[in-house]
Amino acid sequence: MLEFLQRIGGQVGAWFYLIAGGLAFAEAAVMVGLVLPGEIALLVAGFAAHQGWIGLWPMVAIAVGSAILGDSVGYEVGRRLGPGLRASRVGRWVGEDRWRRADGFLHRHGGKAVLFGRFTAVLRALTPGMAGVVRMPYLRTFLPWNITGAVIWGAGCVLLGYGFSASLTAVGRYLAYGPLVLIALVLAGYVLLRRWRARRFTT
């Protein structure tokens, strides 16, 4: 699996910036998160950064900026289209149960719902639009919580993928040398056993 990712990553290269950033943006802007959670793309991007195919901190900045912008677009879509979006074909595809969950979540937590919703795929896709529908104040409430959630989520996912890749590298190194160490231990045990038996028979 690691070799497969390395082969693909070497070909994709800097396109990781566009792919991961685009999915992080589209998650709430066009509700792509209902199908493909954006954190998967950001985790892979973190892996790519550790492999040296892209830069870590530029990817973190792109992840955070894309998440902020995507939620802001989702908010504006909800504010402008309002109930019509919910009654549309896309809204029916989303399902009334999901809309109800997002609506109830928003009313229970207010502005904090924008932050809390960031960490659940369905709510991450729907909460910004619902915030726009109910006309949550954008500058005073929505944007500060949106920025906070985007920084924690976007940077966290990329760094988690980066750390996971470092762990894979370490595991791979141990797996590479592990058999040699095991062979050495078996040989050492065999030599010690022979010496112990030799002393036992001479005494």
Side-chain angles (χ1 to χ4, degrees):
M1 183 62 180
L2 183 58
E3 291 180 2
F4 173 75
L5 286 173
Q6 289 173 336
R7 195 178 307 117
I8 296 297
Q11 296 173 354
V12 174
W15 283 97
F16 269 111
Y17 291 126
L18 181 62
I19 296 169
L23 286 173
F25 165 81
E27 188 162 31
V30 293
M31 294 183 289
V32 167
L34 293 170
V35 180
L36 180 64
E39 65 255 23
I40 294 175
L42 297 184
L43 288 169
V44 174
F47 175 88
H50 186 269
Q51 298 299 314
W53 304 325
I54 56 175
L56 174 62
W57 297 114
M59 187 64 246
V60 168
I62 289 171
V64 172
S66 298
I68 293 171
L69 186 59
D71 273 23
S72 294
V73 170
Y75 173 93
E76 189 63 21
V77 169
R79 190 182 72 82
R80 287 180 178 274
L81 300 182
L85 175 64
R86 192 166 178 171
S88 68
R89 180 178 298 179
V90 174
R92 291 194 299 272
W93 173 78
V94 171
E96 187 58 31
D97 181 60
R98 286 173 170 172
W99 285 114
R100 233 184 349 257
R101 283 169 56 194
D103 192 23
F105 185 73
L106 189 66
H107 280 91
R108 280 196 307 274
H109 299 287
K112 292 189 289 296
V114 180
L115 171 62
F116 297 152
R118 171 67 68 180
F119 302 97
T120 305
V122 171
L123 293 175
R124 187 163 56 244
L126 296 179
T127 300
M130 291 301 301
V133 169
V134 301
R135 299 294 199 274
M136 177 184 289
Y138 180 79
L139 292 176
R140 191 173 71 248
T141 306
F142 181 84
L143 186 59
W145 288 108
N146 178 22
I147 292 173
T148 302
V151 169
I152 297 172
W153 176 79
C157 286
V158 175
L159 293 174
L160 186 61
Y162 186 91
F164 176 70
S165 179
S167 300
L168 281 181
T169 302
V171 169
R173 191 181 305 121
Y174 290 132
L175 289 177
Y177 293 108
L180 298 178
V181 174
L182 183 60
I183 291 171
L185 289 173
V186 169
L187 288 175
Y190 176 74
V191 170
L192 289 173
L193 181 61
R194 289 291 298 270
R195 287 185 178 180
W196 178 77
R197 285 182 175 177
R199 288 180 182 177
R200 183 181 176 185
F201 287 127
T202 56
T203 57

